[in-house]
Amino acid sequence: MSPTEELVKHEQTCLREQVVVEDTEDWQKSPDFSGLERVAGLDLSFIKGDDVNACSQLVVLSYPDLEVLYEDSQMVTLTAPYMPGFLAFRETPFLLEALQRLEKDKPTLLPQVSLHHRAGVEFGLACHVGVLSGLPCVGVAKNLLQVQGVFKNEEHQSQISALQKGGDSFPLRANSGKVLGKALRSSDRSTKPVYVSVGHKISLDTAVQLTYSCSRFRVPEPIRQCSVNTVELSLVDGQKLALSMLGSGHPPYMTKVTVR
């Protein structure tokens, strides 16, 4: 491990020790999340075949209506080196900057919780953003992260088949017995589950319940809206926006902020 990786590993360990995996907010203790009014989706999506240029997305939705209140989209260029196991260090700064822009421009629209389109092992992106922002965060992934004895095998497929309706879930248990997250059938419309994990300042059961309550389709609406915006930003007249901007000499980013 290089000196840089050693330093990053030490910082990650320090941050991991600050993660809170229980409910801390009043709205989390209400069966219908009374008091929760704003939910965010945060995501960083890469252009296919390019691990440097990406689209940073922040979308704030009303709750429980799930109507878009605020959007911030930027094409960004990642400068930090790629280090397996420490991907959040490359991506988190851009998501925090989006939250800071929102706090400066429309502080009344700051979210009370955010959902992130991926799930890490013990300290992923949702944990990282949560600890540094102080915001309750949840990780939601479409694909199973196969680690610590959790595999997409016949037993796992059998458990998925047993999910009869939206809201049904089962735990993802490591060889040690520790529950890493849950597989959730997030919608009656889809038999494919999503995989929910705790980021920060929320319990796993509450994270699962919140994810389900934010889902009209398989992918929860805050994250789905991020994907919609990514497509809109990444394609212009059938060409990738990043490539067109680089070709025109403009900086590889743009901002779109919509407030409703």
Side-chain angles (χ1 to χ4, degrees):
M1 186 175 288
S2 69
T4 299
E5 289 174 320
E6 287 283 1
L7 182 62
V8 171
K9 183 179 180 180
H10 174 72
E11 183 176 349
Q12 185 183 72
T13 300
C14 293
L15 291 172
R16 184 188 293 119
E17 292 173 352
Q18 300 177 51
V19 171
V20 178
V21 293
E22 58 189 36
D23 295 330
T24 60
E25 312 302 304
D26 289 341
W27 61 263
Q28 295 167 337
K29 301 164 187 175
S30 170
D32 60 354
F33 296 145
S34 176
L36 178 61
E37 299 179 348
R38 296 173 305 282
V39 181
L42 279 165
D43 190 29
L44 197 72
S45 300
F46 289 89
I47 296 171
K48 189 174 181 179
D50 186 344
D51 63 356
V52 175
N53 296 298
C55 182
S56 170
Q57 292 282 344
L58 164 63
V59 179
V60 180
L61 278 64
S62 63
Y63 186 91
D65 297 334
L66 303 178
E67 299 296 332
V68 176
L69 301 174
Y70 176 94
E71 301 169 77
D72 182 302
S73 308
Q74 284 206 1
M75 296 301 298
V76 299
T77 301
L78 281 69
T79 56
Y82 171 84
M83 291 183 287
F86 305 105
L87 299 183
F89 283 89
R90 298 185 80 210
E91 303 177 11
T92 298
F94 300 104
L95 303 181
L96 293 177
E97 286 173 6
L99 286 170
Q100 290 164 0
R101 284 192 296 272
L102 171 56
E103 184 174 17
K104 178 182 177 182
D105 297 337
K106 293 289 179 181
T108 58
L109 295 180
L110 278 171
Q112 295 161 276
V113 61
S114 67
L115 277 64
H116 300 255
H117 189 196
R118 65 200 66 188
V121 182
E122 297 185 348
F123 195 79
L125 184 66
C127 295
H128 205 127
V129 172
V131 169
L132 293 179
S133 69
L135 191 67
C137 293
V138 178
V140 183
K142 290 192 293 184
N143 299 313
L144 177 67
L145 188 60
Q146 302 185 66
V147 293
Q148 300 183 25
V150 176
F151 298 111
K152 196 173 184 179
N153 52 23
E154 186 176 337
E155 179 185 2
H156 184 77
Q157 293 297 337
S158 177
Q159 290 176 303
I160 290 176
S161 298
L163 300 176
Q164 296 298 309
K165 63 184 185 305
D168 287 352
S169 65
F170 64 84
L172 305 172
R173 201 174 299 276
N175 287 330
S176 64
K178 180 178 180 179
V179 175
L180 302 179
K182 283 190 174 184
L184 166 69
R185 181 168 175 174
S186 52
S187 170
D188 288 328
R189 304 185 185 200
S190 177
T191 58
K192 294 182 179 180
V194 293
Y195 300 95
V196 181
S197 62
V198 170
H200 184 52
K201 295 175 69 174
I202 193 168
S203 67
L204 180 57
D205 286 344
T206 300
V208 169
Q209 183 183 352
L210 176 67
T211 301
Y212 175 57
S213 71
C214 287
S215 299
R216 292 171 173 165
F217 306 97
R218 180 191 177 200
V219 176
E221 200 64 14
I223 294 174
R224 196 182 75 84
Q225 287 296 329
C226 285
S227 299
V228 170
N229 285 348
T230 297
V231 172
E232 291 177 352
L233 252 184
S234 298
L235 297 174
V236 174
D237 296 329
Q239 296 182 345
K240 289 180 180 176
L241 176 62
L243 293 179
S244 67
M245 285 192 296
L246 287 170
S248 66
H250 294 297
Y253 65 86
M254 69 176 292
T255 303
K256 180 185 73 170
V257 178
T258 303
V259 179
R260 295 184 175 88

